[in-house]
Amino acid sequence: MILEGYDTSAKGSNRTIHTGPVYAYGTDNADNGDMYVAVSTQPFDTDGEIKVYRSTDHGDTWSLWSTVGHGEPIQAVDVLVGQWELDEMSTDYVHVFFTDTAGNVVDARVDMTAPTMSDHVTIASEGLGKNLPFISAARDPMPSPAAFTLYVTWEVGSGTSHQVKVKLSTVNGNAWTNEVAYSGYQQPHVDAGPFGFDKHHVYLTAVADGFPNDVYVKRSIDWGTSWGDWTNLTSGDGADYHGAPVVAASTDAAYPTVWVAYGHYKPVVLGAADLRFATSEDGGASWTKDQVLSAEQGFDELMPDMVGYRTGPSRWMNVVYNHDRSARTDVVWRWVSGSTPANWWAPRPVNDHDTHPAAGPQVIYSPGVGPGSGAVYAGTGSPLTNLYFAAPWLTPTGSAAASSRGVADESQKPGFLARSAPVHSSQGHESSDQIVPGEKNLVSSQSATQTGLPHWVFTGQVGQAFRVAGLARHPSGALYAAATTSEVDSANTGTVFRSDDGGATWEPVPALPLAWWLDSILVTDAGTLLVGGMMYDWLDMDAVAHAAIYRSDDGGENWWVVAEWMDAGTVHALLQRANGDLVAGMGPGGDVLVSVDDGEHWEPMPTLPDAEHVYALMETADETLYAGGNRTDESGAIYRFAGGDDWGAVTELDNPAAVYALMEGANEVLYAGVAFSDGTGRIMRSFDGGENWELSEPLGENGECIAVRALLEDLDEAIYAGADTGDGRFTSYVYGSTDGGDTWLDAGSLFMAGAVYDLLLAPEGTAYAGGGDTYGVVYRAASLGVGGHHVYLPIVMRNLQ
């Protein structure tokens, strides 16, 4: 089965940094979000020139900022921004580190306030005849300006022998001290990370001379003054040789996690070059070794780069690398949390242009935008030509295809849940002009920024979820998300995530027994947590997927299966009525269950005539219960239950294919979110308790909304509708109305969510949106002027192999 996810939605958004030859380059950022890229533009037999480019708008545009000349040919390049301050002393430099063919290691310090001025500080002179092909620089991770230490490491080659050397500077490059040298090693890389709250560790990785060129790492626990022993990370892993190691550390002292990624090579055939990694969760004291970062059959993965985020504490690590498929090489971006350091999110190709497989891309951040990092990569050719910048927050500059293999292969998933619910469309169907007398049929093209409606900003990543179907809030303030995740050793898993910080971080609660797929979640007045979805033991060949309700009375620490319904596939909706009764809507089969004891026991309610799916439940102020869904003839329907033994009047809707959301507004008007039979998403409303309904025009200007999946009214009585944009769109929308539904306005987009499945209002007025179908996301409504209108969520589904 195909379970590896690829998202190419960044295609068409790359920017050109540099046009012309590229012989070496380095990248770094300032805390204010400015980014710097230093490029060596001259061949190895010509006096050196390094062009430094800067972007002050998060990578949208780049301009030449400074040029560093040198009287010898340049070999290797790295760059660091050093805004240094101690007491009344401060210096602000962009450090352009390089090695030359004369055996020199140089720090060209470019004054950030006067970029035409720079001074060259010689770090080391190894002498003529020495080869210095590698250089790597790092600094202590802390917001700047600050009194940090700089670290630089380089390789010295002479014939077949190699040395790795390291030096440090505590005065922003004025002087370099504490040189150490290690013979028999090559290809060094250095990084620094916090350990505890009052010290930093420095980490050095390199490969040993001689096959199989094992990867080693060592650390300094006293800011580079002294170093411990080497630790072999790759002994006995079956590789013929290793190469291109990089080390990077979390910058969150609460998670002193360190990663070392490297190339793992077998005989030279396509697909024999893979990437593996090792992790330490205790600041380098112990290591978990030989873990696979990427090893896709028939492809080569090469040249990784990792960088920690220095502007503030961050447990997250971003990685980029080359993914070579002979005819083309992609630049792939992924990320991981220091709390689960082996759980890399799925690979995402980000490059518009082909790149050379041996020319490694580099990670670069731009604080103030994101989340996540961007990537800088070179083009192809000999010499390499052009440098490009890719980032998830950039606006596409042209048309581009988006594709995904993000959800489990259909042969492994029960067929009727290929999506959570069928969305019907008829190509070429003529929509009726005779909808409902008296309807307004108005949709405004105004945006949120024009109207003052909130827009949506990303709150936090929900584990490895590819779908967030429901959100709930506990009286304690904890947020819960009902999600479906993809695990490495299996297919789907229904998982509940909890956030205690308003959605900034999400952690999974203990597992729900045999949960395969989750569709609904509810916190009752008593604080009980209920989750509805599908139970399925995919390892049991005789197992039948069926609907189930899970219950926890301790915040999700322990779960019990309180209802199993073999005649249905999943529990679409959960509701608590004013009298405390709980109601569950299911499908296929259209059954409804009720519980009168806070969810401990469930019984069937009277049968809904001809119902196939019950997607939505609602109770109005007069305690009338409504159910929305579709019928066995694939028409949408709204049922009404006023008590007794049978459901009362049924509203049959001629044109809608399904009703996915129901809500009563403060104005006592009823609203329904529907998928219309012409493939559009619309809002219906009723002023007479559901006897008659009027229909809006399709939401959105270009038919991007194919269904309305969620409805919400905020404290100001503005109404929001969450859209489903269909498979492969990777962007969903929220539409808003401030006039009770007369007009519907653009209220912002949720990137990387194909559908908005739930909208949640917290008591203080904060609104949250949960969505997915390819990536599970949670967004928060933000007031006008806070953050950016388009905020992108990097991929949040694990790579499945």
Side-chain angles (χ1 to χ4, degrees), residues 186-432:
Q186 57 182 289
Q187 303 176 40
H189 193 267
V190 67
D191 197 21
F195 188 78
F197 295 92
D198 59 351
K199 63 166 39 175
H200 293 105
H201 285 180
V202 190
Y203 306 95
L204 175 68
T205 188
V207 299
D209 287 353
F211 292 111
N213 301 105
D214 279 326
V215 177
Y216 286 79
V217 67
K218 66 165 50 199
R219 66 173 180 167
S220 170
I221 62 174
D222 53 10
W223 290 273
T225 303
S226 62
W227 293 83
D229 295 330
W230 288 107
T231 298
N232 189 328
L233 299 177
T234 58
S235 177
D237 67 358
D240 286 350
Y241 63 99
H242 307 86
V246 291
V247 61
S250 158
T251 60
D252 186 344
Y255 296 88
T257 305
V258 190
W259 295 261
V260 175
Y262 52 90
H264 177 278
Y265 303 97
K266 298 289 281 183
V268 183
V269 294
L270 188 64
D274 300 325
L275 293 180
R276 299 194 182 187
F277 69 103
T279 55
S280 172
E281 297 184 62
D282 53 11
S286 61
W287 291 86
T288 302
K289 306 174 185 179
D290 196 24
Q291 303 175 81
V292 174
L293 175 59
S294 187
E296 189 170 354
Q297 186 174 3
F299 293 78
D300 283 334
E301 295 92 354
L302 308 133
M303 306 301 293
D305 184 56
M306 294 187 295
V307 177
Y309 182 84
R310 292 192 308 261
T311 303
S314 175
R315 77 181 74 170
W316 298 100
M317 182 57 59
N318 287 240
V319 67
V320 292
Y321 56 86
N322 285 338
H323 185 265
D324 181 36
R325 45 185 172 176
S326 184
R328 175 181 169 84
T329 300
D330 280 324
V331 175
V332 168
W333 170 53
R334 302 173 73 175
W335 65 335
V336 71
S337 169
S339 60
T340 54
N343 295 345
W344 292 94
W345 270 248
R348 178 185 176 195
V350 298
N351 56 314
D352 291 341
H353 310 278
D354 199 4
T355 188
H356 194 286
Q362 294 190 20
V363 170
I364 187 170
Y365 296 93
S366 185
V369 71
S373 74
V376 176
Y377 68 97
T380 57
S382 181
L384 300 177
T385 303
N386 300 352
L387 272 181
Y388 304 102
F389 175 66
W393 55 82
L394 292 178
T395 303
T397 57
S399 62
S403 65
S404 174
R405 293 181 281 147
V407 181
D409 168 45
E410 296 306 318
S411 66
Q412 296 295 320
K413 182 185 297 182
F416 57 85
L417 277 181
R419 289 175 60 85
S420 69
V423 176
H424 303 275
S425 63
S426 54
Q427 299 295 328
H429 178 77
E430 294 184 3
S431 59
S432 172

Side-chain angles (χ1 to χ4, degrees), residues 513-592:
L514 296 179
W516 167 274
W517 184 278
L518 299 185
D519 267 319
S520 51
I521 188 168
L522 174 71
V523 176
T524 71
D525 293 341
T528 301
L529 190 58
L530 294 168
V531 177
M534 174 187 290
M535 176 182 283
Y536 178 56
D537 184 356
W538 71 285
L539 295 175
D540 182 353
M541 298 298 294
D542 297 323
V544 176
H546 58 277
I549 300 174
Y550 299 87
R551 184 178 187 272
S552 173
D553 56 12
D554 56 6
E557 293 301 313
N558 294 279
W559 292 93
W560 291 267
V561 179
V562 291
E564 294 184 59
W565 200 252
M566 302 303 296
D567 294 333
T570 189
V571 177
H572 292 299
L574 291 166
L575 172 74
Q576 182 166 31
R577 305 191 66 181
N579 65 0
D581 291 354
L582 306 178
V583 185
M586 298 182 293
D591 295 307
V592 177

Side-chain angles (χ1 to χ4, degrees), residues 450-469:
Q450 293 171 310
T451 63
L453 287 169
H455 61 265
W456 298 86
V457 296
F458 173 63
T459 63
Q461 47 285 336
V462 185
Q464 298 88 43
F466 63 79
R467 182 177 186 269
V468 174

Side-chain angles (χ1 to χ4, degrees), residues 10-33:
K11 300 294 186 179
S13 66
N14 291 187
R15 305 294 194 263
T16 299
I17 300 171
H18 163 77
T19 302
V22 177
Y23 290 92
Y25 73 98
T27 66
D28 198 28
N29 65 270
D31 282 9
N32 67 354

Side-chain angles (χ1 to χ4, degrees), residues 603-680:
E603 298 293 338
M605 289 187 69
T607 301
L608 282 70
D610 300 319
E612 180 68 8
H613 287 274
V614 175
Y615 295 123
L617 295 166
M618 170 185 68
E619 185 180 41
T620 55
D622 63 2
E623 300 187 4
T624 299
L625 178 65
Y626 292 79
N630 67 352
R631 297 159 60 93
T632 54
D633 63 1
E634 298 187 353
S635 65
I638 298 174
Y639 300 84
R640 184 171 56 202
F641 184 76
D645 295 330
D646 297 302
W647 288 83
V650 177
T651 303
E652 297 186 28
L653 309 170
D654 293 334
N655 288 306
V659 176
Y660 290 114
L662 292 169
M663 185 190 75
E664 182 184 33
N667 55 5
E668 297 185 353
V669 175
L670 305 186
Y671 299 88
V674 305
F676 209 60
S677 56
D678 64 358
T680 61

